[in-house]
Structures are given as structure tokens and as C-alpha cells.
Amino acid sequence: MAEMTDAEVFGTPSRGPSAPRLPRGLRNNNPGNIEDGPFARSIPGYQGSDGRFAVYDSMDNGKSAHAALLRSYGGKGINTVEGVVNRWAPPSENDTASYVKFVSQKMGVDPRAPLDMNDPKVLSALAEAQAQRENGAAAMPNAREMSDAEVFGTAKPAPASGQPGAAPMPQRPAPALPGFRPVPATVAPPQVSQGLGFAKGLAHVGDRMAQGLEFAADKVGLAQPINAMNAALGLPSNDQAAASREAFLASQKAKGITPGKIGEFGGSVLGTAWIPGGPLAQGALGGVLTGQATDAKGLAGEAAIGGAVGRLTAGASDALQLGARKVLSKAPQIMNIAGLKKGYQDAYKAVDASGFAFPKAQVEGLVNGLESTMKGRALSKTARGEAGSVINDIRKFVRDNGDVSVSQMEAFRRDIYDALVKKGGDTGALGGAFRGKIDELMDSVPNPDLKRGRELYKRWTTADFVNRASKSADRAAEQTYGGDYGRKVKDRLAPLVDEMKPTRNIRGATPDVIAGIEKVVRGSKTQNLASTLGGMTDVRRMGGKILQGSLGAMTGMGAAGTAGATLLPSLAIQGAVAGGGAGLTATSSAIARKNVSDLIRLIAAGGSKEGLKRVPTRASQSVETAIARYARPALVAGAVPALAAARSDPRTKPKK
């Protein structure tokens, strides 16, 4: 499809005074100007081609074809105004950028924002905007929201508009498009004063727009010709129209009828809700149109206030969306440490049950690799003997049994841990290298169950290590009576992120996990401050004991010198300091425990913060969509007029 030239749109006019000059798309009952082809012919009502574009027997069927093609775009992932228009009217033969701008402004949406291509209202708005671009907005005065039948292709063929038997096109207003939904006044105000207020608010916005146009016309030298033309046509000037309105309002006031604020607010909203450009632009222009300022400084102030209010109300809708997401979404299902262990063991069993095993030759190659690793290291005679014993045990098992199952390979890893790793030093380092060789072999197998098991195993080992470090810190804190858990757990995890330590970089640890460990080791500012002050004042710790002794000495001296007059106050001070110190230590420990708990959850979730995000539900998505589609435009459209309506009109203020 290509954007049509004026000649293509209107065709070559027939000679004669009564020749119709309908755009080509309307003559063809094809408002989207869909090119003739297999798709066009598949739509009910297809009648042929005009040489390039399809012709349908009714406008309903032409609109159904348009909607069907847009839905097919959505099925291919083309779901933005920019994407649709670039496909519909490619730049090779169209002014595509102008086309995109036209459609996005008509719809009131960002050209790159995703659209719900299954929503009939969205399809209707998109199709109508395209049809106006294809055929000319002036040629489509009766643009209306498409029915569900037209959108979903179930419309029955009907006579085209202008043909015998055709019903007149319904005179419905254009649909409220996403991005700027006006607040319609479809119900008559229950009070005359509110109706008067509605008219006043709407007229005020119209006056302000007319003033702006008049100002622009004056700047380009067109004011006098326009005024002369208005006078010739008998049309009132802006000042005359404003004076007439003021006189009418004064006459109603004399009858005891004053404009209602609610109605004035509704009229102002209806007058400004059409403004495109986002909340900032809508708020700024809305502030100018609904304000009372007449000079440049005052107009700038109205624009600034309106823009700020528009942005703040948009932020309020964002906060509503975030709140709905937090309340209505659900927490992700994350395994605990025991679940991770059972998960990897079950996965290994599934691999064994499938009949998979490591071939004998492959395991013999592994054993040879272990021997090479041992020979390349300087070891004590004892360490070399222990490592050789482990290697011989594996070699004997392979010689006697042949292929090795996954569960048996995991048993080899446990034996290496017990025989070598636990002993630490050079022996432990060699055991770690042996286990690394086995890990490489197991990770190289493209078996989905084994890969799943290996992933769960890595999560389990890391989470289990952190958990054991936490329990060790707990025991150490309890043994020192009042010890700071936060300090103890830092000591145990610090080697994992210390570049000078060989244990840095836990096998398979992600950047998020390393950052989580560093958070525990560094501690937050609040935690560190509480720990420091607790060490100085907690009587169960050295600093607190020294402080307690000093206060006790001062109490004794005071009691001896003043017959105990300072005894009770000094004891009260000691008690307060002791209680405060214990509370600070507890605060520091509580923060550290939370950081450790968060770290374990992060590891169990796969080592990525993305795994900790709450999972959207149907309810949360529906509410978020409703807020974005309805609440946000309504808030922005109504906030600035509400501010203007709440302020008193300076022209009616009593003089002091």
C-alpha cells in the first residue's frame, strides 16, 4: 500500500456539474486503500480491482478487511503505530514519517508504544486514523467507532453509502482515543446553574483559543483582513463575543442563577481534553486555556503551573500502577535449601532412569586427567598418597563395572571431598581441582535433566555454604554472650569477595550473587553505625563494660561526697546506656540477618534479581491496563481545569 496522491485520492473528476468527487478509497468501499491481491480477495464482499486497489460491495466489508489486515500485523508482532505505518506505507514510495505523526497524534499515543491489537477500540481508532490519512480528513466527516462486527469481520454486506437502499451513516462522535479521553457530558446537568457553569467553562476555553489565534494572526499581518471578513459576514469579534457572554452571565446572576463550579469544571475538561503531546504538554496548554492571565508573564506562569500539575497527576497514575502491581501480583515460587537439594537429586535419578551413563573410555580419560593434575603439583608425600588412593578407587570401580552413572559420578565427588577437600591446605586445593574436573565432565553432557540437575546443584552448594556460615556466626555470637551476629557473619563471608584470598569467585556465582555477598560483608551505613555504637555502650561487650565501669566509679565518688545524692541518677544513666547498647547490637544483627536471608533467596532464585520480581497476574495486568488507558488520561485531563475552577475569578473579586 502506498499513500495516495491528490489525483489518486480524488480521481480525475468527471465533466459535468453533478459529478461526484469522492476519494478513491470511499468510491471503492476500501477506506484503507488495501491493494488487490490474495488477502483482499479472501475478504467477503470483494468485487474486483480498480487497477491497483481492491473494491468491496459495502463500506462495512471494506472496514472488515482493514481491521483483519491490522489484526494480522499484530499476530506478526507489528503492534506500534510506527511499525504498522512503515509496513502499510513504506518510505520507498510515501512520506512515512508524516503519516506516522498524523496517526499517532490522532490516536494520542506514542508512535513506538505497544498497542493491544486484539482490542476492538484500539483497532477502530487506528483504522479510522489511517482512513482519514488515506482519504483526507475532510472527506470523512462521518468517521465513527467501528462496530465489533466490522472489527472482527462478521459484518453482513450492505449497500454502500450513497447507493440506493443505503442507510444514512450514523452521526456518532469519534471515539475517545487512548491518550486523551475527554470527560463527556452526556447527561443533562440536574441544575440549571451547573449547565450554565458547563457553558461558561467551555466558552472560556474557546475564547482563550480564539485570542491565541488572533494574536498569531496579528503577528503575521492577517488580523485586519480577518476582521474585515468577519464584519462582512456579520460575525462578532472575540471581544464582542466575550462581552455578550459576560452580559448574559450578569443577567442570569440578577435572576439568582450563578455558574456552578462542577459544571464549569466539566466544560473546561471537555474543552482541553483533546490536547495531545503527553501530560506535560497537555497540562501546560491546559493551564493557559483555563487560566485568566492575559500578559506574557502571566501566561508563562499558567503554563508552568499547568505543566507541573499535569506531570504530577501522571506520576500519581504511575504510583497507582505500581501499587496495583505490588498488591495484586504474586511472589515468585522459590525453592528453599532443602528443595534445591531434593531437586538436583531427583534430576540425577531421572537421568539414571533414562539409561544414560558416562562411557568407560570417557571416565578412564578423566582418571588420567586427575593423575596429570596431581603430578603437576608440589605435594607432600602424605597428600600424594591420599590423592593416589582416591584415583585408584575410581580406576578400580571403572575396571570392575564399566560405564558410570550420574549418581555414581556424584558419589566420586563426595568421596574426594571427604578424603581431600576437608583436610585443607595443599591436599584440600588438590581435591578442589579433582572435583572441578568432574564438574567439567558433567557440565559437558547435553542432557536436559542433567543440565537442570547441575543448575540446582550449583544453587544448592552456594546457598548451603552461606547458610552454614550464618549458623556458624550465630553460634559464635551466642558463645560470646551478646556478640554481634553481623560482625561474625562478615568474618565468615569476607574471604569470598577478598581479591587476596584464593576462595574468591564461588564456582558459577553470578554478578548479582557476588554483589549480594559484598552487601553482607560491607554492611549498610545504619548497620555499621549501630554495630559501632553498640560495641561502645552494650555492657555485654568490651566497650560497654569499660563504660559501665567508668560510670560506676563516678557513682561511687558521687555517693561518697554527697551522701548518695547522685546514686540513683547515676544508676539510671547506667541502665539507660546498657539498654540502648543492647538495642543497637540487636539492630545491627537484625539488618545483617535480613541481608543474609535476601542473599540466600537470590541464590535459590538462580542468581539473578529478575528471578525475585513479583509475577504479574491476570488481575494485576487488568488493573494496570485500566489505569494506563482510563485513569491516567482522566487525571491529566481533569487536574488542570480542576485547579482553575477551584481558584476564584480575579474579575469577580471584590476590590479592597
Side-chain angles (χ1 to χ4, degrees):
M1 283 151 291
E3 186 179 359
M4 299 169 63
T5 64
D6 289 345
E8 289 177 311
V9 168
F10 293 105
T12 304
S14 303
R15 289 181 170 80
S18 61
R21 204 162 184 263
L22 282 175
R24 190 174 183 178
L26 301 188
R27 294 200 312 271
N28 293 339
N29 290 322
N30 180 5
N33 284 323
I34 299 172
E35 292 184 346
D36 187 35
F39 172 81
R41 296 166 190 164
S42 69
I43 302 299
Y46 172 80
Q47 287 193 327
S49 168
D50 69 351
R52 180 179 182 183
F53 300 104
V55 178
Y56 292 97
D57 62 353
S58 71
M59 185 61 71
D60 285 345
N61 282 325
K63 288 186 175 183
S64 293
H66 193 162
L69 189 53
L70 288 176
R71 286 200 311 276
S72 73
Y73 281 14
K76 298 173 183 175
I78 305 173
N79 64 346
T80 65
V81 170
E82 186 177 70
V84 168
V85 172
N86 271 276
R87 182 71 173 268
W88 199 279
S92 59
E93 53 183 350
N94 301 278
D95 182 2
T96 306
S98 174
Y99 199 142
V100 169
K101 183 178 179 181
F102 178 88
V103 174
S104 61
Q105 287 182 345
K106 282 289 182 182
M107 295 183 68
V109 298
D110 187 306
R112 297 182 179 179
L115 303 174
D116 184 354
M117 301 296 279
N118 293 316
D119 186 334
K121 291 187 179 296
V122 173
L123 280 185
S124 172
L126 178 55
E128 291 295 347
Q130 282 189 282
Q132 289 184 33
R133 176 71 182 194
E134 295 282 344
N135 300 281
M140 300 191 68
N142 297 323
R144 60 180 177 81
E145 185 176 355
M146 296 165 65
S147 67
D148 288 350
E150 291 168 327
V151 170
F152 291 105
T154 56
K156 296 179 180 179
S161 177
Q163 295 180 357
M169 187 174 288
Q171 298 295 315
R172 290 195 292 168
L177 304 181
F180 51 97
R181 288 185 176 270
V183 179
T186 56
V187 181
Q191 299 176 2
V192 175
S193 62
Q194 298 301 341
L196 188 62
F198 182 87
K200 178 186 175 183
L202 191 59
H204 175 69
V205 172
D207 281 350
R208 301 284 283 183
M209 292 175 61
Q211 290 169 10
L213 294 173
E214 187 176 36
F215 176 80
D218 184 55
K219 288 296 182 183
V220 297
L222 295 177
Q224 290 184 349
I226 291 176
N227 290 336
M229 182 179 65
N230 288 342
L233 296 174
L235 299 176
S237 66
N238 293 333
D239 290 339
Q240 290 172 335
S244 298
R245 187 181 75 249
E246 292 297 331
F248 175 74
L249 291 175
S251 67
Q252 295 301 306
K253 185 176 182 181
K255 298 177 182 179
I257 305 173
T258 56
K261 283 292 185 182
I262 296 177
E264 186 175 350
F265 164 67
S268 299
V269 171
L270 186 62
T272 58
W274 54 269
I275 302 172
L280 189 62
Q282 187 175 3
L285 188 53
V288 171
L289 293 178
T290 57
Q292 304 289 350
T294 56
D295 60 331
K297 182 178 179 181
L299 290 172
E302 297 282 9
I305 293 174
V309 170
R311 194 67 197 87
L312 286 173
T313 51
S317 75
D318 294 340
L320 286 174
Q321 280 187 293
L322 183 60
R325 187 179 307 158
K326 288 185 175 181
V327 172
L328 299 176
S329 60
K330 63 181 181 180
Q333 296 294 320
I334 299 175
M335 292 183 181
N336 56 22
I337 294 176
L340 290 172
K341 184 176 183 180
K342 184 177 185 302
Y344 92 77
Q345 290 175 341
D346 288 346
Y348 285 178
K349 291 177 182 176
V351 176
D352 291 340
S354 70
F356 172 83
F358 294 97
K360 178 180 179 180
Q362 192 175 28
V363 183
E364 288 175 342
L366 169 68
V367 174
N368 294 334
L370 298 182
E371 280 188 325
S372 298
T373 300
M374 181 180 68
K375 291 177 181 178
R377 299 194 177 209
L379 301 169
S380 66
K381 184 177 180 180
T382 302
R384 192 173 297 278
E386 291 170 339
S389 178
V390 169
I391 292 173
N392 289 333
D393 288 344
I394 298 175
R395 179 177 282 122
K396 182 177 184 303
F397 181 91
V398 175
R399 186 174 60 246
D400 295 342
N401 298 279
D403 297 347
V404 177
S405 68
V406 171
S407 297
Q408 182 58 47
M409 192 66 75
E410 179 60 24
F412 291 158
R413 294 183 79 262
R414 289 196 299 270
D415 292 343
I416 292 171
Y417 181 84
D418 293 335
L420 304 177
V421 177
K422 277 186 177 181
K423 296 183 178 179
D426 292 341
T427 305
L430 180 62
F434 281 6
R435 284 162 62 91
K437 292 287 185 183
I438 295 178
D439 287 338
E440 290 175 6
L441 176 60
M442 296 178 76
D443 289 339
S444 68
V445 178
N447 182 292
D449 286 330
L450 183 54
K451 284 189 174 298
R452 171 67 175 165
R454 292 295 298 158
E455 172 63 25
L456 293 176
Y457 173 79
K458 292 170 185 176
R459 295 188 202 179
W460 172 74
T461 53
T462 307
D464 185 59
F465 176 84
V466 174
N467 187 51
R468 286 187 288 110
S470 175
K471 290 181 178 179
S472 174
D474 256 332
R475 287 191 294 270
E478 291 171 358
Q479 289 169 359
T480 54
Y481 178 61
D484 187 351
Y485 165 85
R487 286 182 177 274
K488 304 295 183 184
V489 79
K490 284 182 180 185
D491 293 340
R492 283 152 179 77
L493 294 182
L496 298 180
V497 289
D498 187 344
E499 294 182 355
M500 301 302 294
K501 300 287 185 181
T503 51
R504 179 177 166 79
N505 296 329
I506 304 173
R507 183 181 297 277
T510 64
D512 284 345
V513 170
I514 295 295
I517 296 173
E518 288 179 342
K519 182 179 180 181
V520 174
V521 172
R522 290 196 180 104
S524 65
K525 291 182 179 179
T526 302
Q527 176 190 346
N528 294 335
L529 179 61
S531 177
T532 301
L533 294 178
M536 296 169 58
T537 57
D538 190 341
V539 297
R540 301 170 300 176
R541 300 166 67 181
M542 184 56 67
K545 291 177 181 178
I546 293 173
L547 180 61
Q548 184 185 42
S550 301
L551 290 173
M554 292 171 60
T555 300
M557 289 187 292
T562 60
T566 62
L567 178 60
L568 290 178
S570 297
L571 289 175
I573 293 173
Q574 290 187 62
V577 170
L584 289 168
T585 298
T587 298
S588 171
S589 296
I591 295 174
R593 290 182 195 282
K594 183 180 185 306
N595 289 340
V596 171
S597 176
D598 290 345
L599 173 60
I600 291 175
R601 289 188 76 249
L602 173 65
I603 295 168
S608 171
K609 292 181 180 178
E610 291 295 319
L612 298 176
K613 288 185 177 180
R614 295 183 69 85
V615 180
T617 61
R618 186 181 297 274
S620 69
Q621 290 176 322
S622 298
V623 172
E624 283 192 68
T625 300
I627 292 172
R629 187 171 297 169
Y630 304 111
R632 182 186 179 96
L635 282 170
V636 175
V640 176
L643 180 64
R647 294 182 293 184
S648 58
D649 189 335
R651 293 174 295 181
T652 61
K653 279 186 176 179
K655 295 182 179 179
K656 294 185 179 178

